Amino acid sequence: MRLYLPFSICALFLACATTMTTSQQPITVAIVNGVVWTGEPDKPWAEAVALSNDRIVAVGRTSEIESRVSAQTRVIDAAGGMVVPGFIDSHVHFLAGGLNLASVQLRDAKTPAEFIARLKTFAATVPAGTWITGGDWDHENWGGELPERSWIDSVTPNNPVWINRLDGHMALANSAAMRLAQVPLSGGDKPGGTVVRDASGQPSGIFKDNAQELIDKAVPEPAPAMLDRALDAAMTYASERGVTSVDHMGTWEDLAVFERAHRAGTMRTRIYAAVPLSTWERLRDTVRARGRGDSWLRIGGLKGFVDGSLGSHTAAMMRPFTDAPKDSGLLVNTPADLYSWTSNADKANLHVIVHAIGDRAINIQLGIFEWVERENGPRDRRFRMEHAQHIAPPDIARFGRLGVIASMQPYHAIDDGRWAEKVIGPERARTTYAFRALRDTQARLAFGSDWPVAPATPLEGIYAAVTRRTLDGKHPGGWIPEQKITVEDALGAYTTGGAYASFEESDKGSLAPGKLADVVVIDRDLTKIAPETIRDAKIQYTIVGGRVVYDHEATTR
Ligand SMILES: [Zn+2]
């Protein structure tokens, strides 16, 4: 079966491709006159890259590559722009992102009035009875007052509404949604979840973390055709941004959508699809039966959660939040469960990927990783900590020492940086999004976006990691500037770091003969421009597997 080629065959093929780097191979695409950043430590810079079908066959001088061009070659003139390995976004929710592209847009609603007005306009375009989901609202845009169902009931009379905050850790239901979900007017709180109440003691419509299940269970599953459309929209969105690979954090149902696209031959973005950590036995059996997939769609990763998010006050902290002195967040799973899942998955040779945001959550999971490694013995396991946002200072060096990959989203730093100090105070903020401290202690970094929580735009992420300028413009010199990193470090975390984080560094993440032909052309050299202008750079071409999937000059795609 094509999808589940054993990994050893891929490795074998790569070896063949490398030895066949000869002039007989026809060059299908030549990118010339560029500033090529290869990501290869011993040969970091070049001018041109030659591709033969889905592999890179040469990296070198423009004159060398031009001498091998034939009538069949498509020549792309980078015109002094930068050429880099295809970006790997190491943390996305790809189908949620795709579905959101087609739903109400609330991320940048600046006031409650605008929030309500946009929902009203959108609801008028939706058939009666259809659920309105997505939204990605952010109450921090208007000072932090949580929305309530009373705000939106009158503008959404015909539709159940269930719209999430941009971090996905809380969501707002209207009264119609609550009726359909038969939410009890009292109680409903559960471990790891909160039902927010209004002044009269009734549910306000806001449900946090595990309490979101109260409404989630009533939302109908999107039809397969809609999910296929969402995936296609997500791949287009990724290609426009120079993203050639994503690590998707999702479900078995999501995997079925990707498998459908893979069978149909419509994949334009490579996907490493993680499934829930608690389902490790099913993944073990699936890998045993079918292997781990191929370079377009791979499995083997399991995603778990320790805590919630800072914006929802559900990150697990060692000490209470500065602005909520009785509250120190919550654990969404018990340490005993996390240990058991991590240990069993690791014994089954699977890849454990765990979300931890608060310093207490990070400390607990680092302890579990350390303990499991000691118990299960040495192996190339590449444990991953997703987000790793607020690290207690003594825990920073443990990432490098234990070989735990810090899978981080730099855009969150310039987004949360607007209000994070209010929530955790100045002292804890100093080791928040500690890119530099992690790098200096030899931790491996993999960067991503958490899309649709943040835009899946690596150029924005690089800008964020390099400048740390918050979105509100209040930190022109950078928020916690000592945690800034260089453009090359940030590029590495989006390319080689991402490839390592999915066990694919022998196949992608850098530009070298034999590697997959995943290449991005940017209109300027990011290392030569003022850092604050990095976000103005434009993607010119995105190439995946030797095929141009985004061309800035093409009017239709
Ligand atoms: Zn996520």
Side-chain angles (χ1 to χ4, degrees), residues 313-532:
H313 283 77
T314 52
M317 302 301 291
M318 294 178 178
R319 287 173 290 121
F321 296 109
T322 307
D323 62 345
K326 290 208 179 88
D327 187 359
S328 53
L330 52 83
L331 299 176
V332 298
N333 285 297
T334 65
D337 278 345
L338 288 163
Y339 162 74
S340 147
W341 294 329
T342 302
S343 176
N344 284 315
D346 184 69
K347 281 188 195 123
N349 221 3
L350 299 171
H351 189 200
V352 180
I353 301 170
V354 179
H355 162 125
I357 286 185
D359 51 14
R360 178 163 168 250
I362 292 167
N363 179 267
I364 287 171
Q365 190 61 34
L366 281 173
I368 291 171
F369 283 155
E370 188 164 17
W371 189 248
V372 166
E373 174 160 24
R374 201 173 299 161
E375 281 184 332
N376 293 358
R379 148 178 122 76
D380 186 8
R381 48 173 54 86
R382 306 191 192 184
F383 283 143
R384 279 173 58 162
M385 189 86 76
E386 302 305 296
H387 312 305
Q389 267 171 230
H390 312 287
I391 313 177
D395 280 339
I396 290 176
R398 293 175 76 195
F399 281 82
R401 200 169 69 238
L402 299 172
V404 172
I405 296 165
S407 170
M408 303 175 80
Q409 300 77 35
Y411 189 89
H412 287 352
I414 60 170
D415 192 349
D416 293 13
R418 292 174 296 148
W419 47 263
E421 275 191 59
K422 182 179 80 185
V423 181
I424 56 171
E427 188 53 38
R428 287 182 287 192
R430 295 186 53 211
T431 48
T432 277
Y433 301 102
F435 308 131
R436 178 82 201 197
L438 284 162
R439 185 204 163 279
D440 287 350
T441 51
Q442 270 68 59
R444 286 186 186 265
L445 291 175
F447 279 170
S449 64
D450 207 4
W451 185 59
V453 179
T457 311
L459 291 175
E460 293 266 10
I462 293 167
Y463 163 84
V466 170
T467 70
R468 293 182 72 100
R469 288 177 150 211
T470 52
L471 296 180
D472 57 10
K474 294 209 175 126
H475 299 86
W479 178 57
I480 329 285
E482 59 272 25
Q483 297 293 355
K484 289 182 195 173
I485 55 173
T486 65
V487 169
E488 284 184 68
D489 282 339
L491 280 171
Y494 268 113
T495 54
T496 50
Y500 181 85
S502 64
F503 293 90
E504 291 173 286
E505 73 278 9
S506 62
D507 224 14
K508 68 187 187 190
S510 68
L511 302 177
K515 293 213 169 172
L516 290 166
D518 298 353
V519 191
V520 171
V521 181
I522 308 167
D523 69 346
R524 62 200 88 176
D525 177 355
L526 303 182
T527 66
K528 292 278 162 25
I529 57 177
E532 55 276 14

Side-chain angles (χ1 to χ4, degrees), residues 91 93 303 387 450:
H91 189 123
H93 306 278
K303 161 84 182 302
H387 312 305
D450 207 4

Side-chain angles (χ1 to χ4, degrees), residues 121 202 364:
T121 308
Q202 297 219 336
I364 287 171

Side-chain angles (χ1 to χ4, degrees), residues 37-351:
W37 181 83
T38 66
E40 290 283 315
D42 53 334
K43 209 168 173 279
W45 298 100
E47 297 171 354
V49 181
L51 315 178
S52 181
N53 299 313
D54 70 339
R55 296 278 161 177
I56 296 168
V57 288
V59 179
R61 290 180 185 282
T62 291
S63 53
E64 290 162 13
I65 303 281
E66 276 180 337
S67 71
R68 294 174 56 183
V69 162
S70 74
Q72 279 71 47
T73 307
R74 173 169 180 186
V75 178
I76 291 175
D77 186 349
M82 197 171 198
V83 181
V84 299
F87 290 121
I88 298 167
D89 188 319
S90 293
H91 189 123
V92 297
H93 306 278
F94 216 41
L95 293 179
L99 288 168
N100 277 9
L101 289 173
S103 190
V104 60
Q105 306 296 315
L106 297 171
R107 171 184 297 273
D108 53 352
K110 292 279 183 288
T111 62
E114 192 179 350
F115 173 90
I116 295 162
R118 286 200 195 179
L119 197 56
K120 180 182 182 180
T121 308
F122 182 80
T125 69
V126 177
T130 303
W131 283 72
I132 297 173
T133 57
D136 291 336
W137 48 268
D138 185 2
H139 61 304
E140 297 291 346
N141 285 349
W142 54 81
E145 186 192 354
L146 284 175
E148 297 194 354
R149 62 187 159 117
S150 59
W151 293 15
I152 61 172
D153 278 345
S154 68
V155 298
T156 55
N158 304 318
N159 301 91
V161 174
W162 180 227
I163 48 176
N164 58 277
R165 185 176 186 269
L166 49 81
D167 65 4
H169 287 276
M170 59 170 133
L172 173 67
N174 68 356
S175 297
M178 282 177 46
R179 263 195 311 277
L180 286 169
Q182 297 177 310
V183 174
L185 289 184
S186 62
D189 292 278
K190 44 172 65 192
T194 307
V195 178
V196 176
R197 292 176 189 283
D198 62 21
S200 69
Q202 297 219 336
S204 73
I206 291 283
F207 297 82
K208 294 187 176 185
D209 282 296
N210 288 349
Q212 294 182 81
E213 289 162 17
L214 290 167
I215 308 283
D216 280 342
K217 64 177 169 48
V219 182
E221 287 296 324
M226 194 161 161
L227 290 167
D228 293 343
R229 273 210 302 279
L231 174 58
D232 205 66
M235 290 192 293
T236 299
Y237 172 93
S239 299
E240 288 166 355
R241 283 157 181 76
V243 173
T244 57
S245 294
V246 296
D247 294 0
H248 169 82
M249 305 297 150
T251 63
W252 287 92
E253 290 76 27
D254 298 345
L255 179 60
V257 179
F258 304 150
E259 286 172 337
R260 210 152 53 226
H262 190 276
R263 274 196 302 273
T266 54
M267 302 270 299
R268 284 167 285 142
T269 310
R270 303 182 192 281
I271 301 178
Y272 180 40
V275 291
L277 180 57
S278 59
T279 67
W280 64 271
E281 287 164 296
R282 180 172 173 190
L283 185 62
R284 175 198 60 197
D285 297 343
T286 305
V287 166
R288 249 180 220 160
R290 303 187 291 181
R292 292 181 195 239
D294 63 16
S295 67
W296 284 105
L297 179 57
R298 289 188 71 242
I299 56 171
L302 290 157
K303 161 84 182 302
F305 286 86
V306 185
D307 63 346
S309 79
L310 191 69
S312 301
H313 283 77
T314 52
M317 302 301 291
M318 294 178 178
R319 287 173 290 121
F321 296 109
T322 307
D323 62 345
K326 290 208 179 88
D327 187 359
S328 53
L330 52 83
L331 299 176
V332 298
N333 285 297
T334 65
D337 278 345
L338 288 163
Y339 162 74
S340 147
W341 294 329
T342 302
S343 176
N344 284 315
D346 184 69
K347 281 188 195 123
N349 221 3
L350 299 171
H351 189 200

